[in-house]
Amino acid sequence: MADAPPLLLSRRLEFAELTANADRAPWKGVDSTALREVTTGAGPEQATSVRTGYDSAELRVLFCAIDSEPWATLKERDAPIYTEETVEIFLDPAGDLNAYFEIEVNPLNAVLDLVVRRSRGGWTKDIRWRCDGLQTFVRRTAEGWNAEIAIPFGAVHERAPAPHEKWRVNFCRIDRPPGKPRELSAWSPTGLPQFHVPSCFGTIEFI
């Protein structure tokens, strides 16, 4: 399985309110990258594309998910939305693979944010962590649903990234079509039926 190529965030976009609309500025004209089935690297049955950009204050990510029947029931902050349908960001600014942030959004715009840390026994998840200033917006589309996520740099790092700084990340989706098996897809497939494999995270570079 080929590794995900480095993703260059070369556009310093001018962001305003979140719209989750790929046809409106600043997303119009920004190249997208496709998620792949997490174990095989093949194209998933229902595709997802991701657009990324940043400005001096935040990282923005736009997921566009093809989905014949988007669904979710959980609406509370930090509910276990991963048991339904979600898009997810895994973010390791330090790049040392000892800890990473996870931010999930479902079709009802419910959010789960947590930090995962390496421990003597494996990994520990802390859902008490809050991504301060996080903004999310979900839009239903004719093809499925979109989610736009704005992550303030100050919430996950000591400062905004310097030119040519690299962060380890992954962009993922859980799709649960009614009557069909669950499908996991990722920008950088892990080779396993799960996302929590930080050694397989891809790299973004701020240029």
Side-chain angles (χ1 to χ4, degrees):
M1 183 189 311
D3 294 335
L7 186 60
L8 303 180
L9 275 65
S10 58
R11 290 176 63 102
R12 284 184 168 271
L13 304 179
E14 294 295 329
F15 288 118
E17 74 280 357
L18 286 73
T19 65
N21 189 338
D23 295 323
R24 287 185 57 184
W27 293 116
K28 189 174 183 178
V30 175
D31 291 338
S32 65
T33 187
L35 304 192
R36 297 180 285 162
E37 201 279 325
V38 75
T39 58
T40 66
E45 185 172 337
Q46 297 200 108
T48 311
S49 66
V50 176
R51 290 174 169 85
T52 53
Y54 76 106
D55 60 18
S56 61
E58 63 189 22
L59 172 68
R60 287 274 186 115
V61 181
L62 175 65
F63 290 88
C64 298
I66 295 176
D67 198 331
S68 60
E69 191 171 343
W71 69 276
T73 65
L74 299 173
K75 301 177 181 179
E76 299 79 14
R77 181 69 175 261
D78 289 338
I81 62 175
Y82 50 82
T83 61
E84 300 183 341
E85 294 197 317
T86 63
V87 292
E88 308 185 4
I89 301 171
F90 294 78
L91 192 60
D92 177 8
D96 59 10
L97 306 182
N98 286 320
Y100 55 91
F101 303 100
E102 180 179 352
I103 298 171
E104 305 181 9
V105 178
N106 75 4
L108 296 176
N109 202 32
V111 171
L112 170 61
D113 50 354
L114 64 150
V115 61
V116 184
R117 299 183 177 91
R118 190 183 298 275
S119 64
R120 184 171 299 179
W123 296 92
T124 58
K125 300 179 180 180
D126 183 1
I127 64 171
R128 296 172 299 175
W129 176 74
R130 285 289 185 271
C131 183
D132 292 336
L134 176 72
Q135 296 182 73
T136 64
F137 187 84
V138 168
R139 172 187 297 275
R140 293 296 181 98
T141 69
E143 296 81 20
W145 64 291
N146 294 354
E148 186 171 355
I149 302 170
I151 304 171
F153 289 126
V156 295
H157 200 41
E158 59 188 9
R159 53 170 172 75
H164 302 292
E165 187 168 335
K166 297 178 181 180
W167 289 10
R168 298 294 299 275
V169 306
N170 211 353
F171 307 110
C172 305
R173 177 187 174 191
I174 300 176
D175 185 25
R176 299 180 187 271
K180 295 183 179 180
R182 177 191 71 172
E183 185 169 54
L184 305 180
S185 54
W187 169 55
S188 183
T190 63
L192 297 170
Q194 62 165 307
F195 300 140
H196 291 274
V197 187
S199 61
C200 293
F201 289 0
T203 301
I204 56 174
E205 180 176 356
F206 300 89
I207 61 174

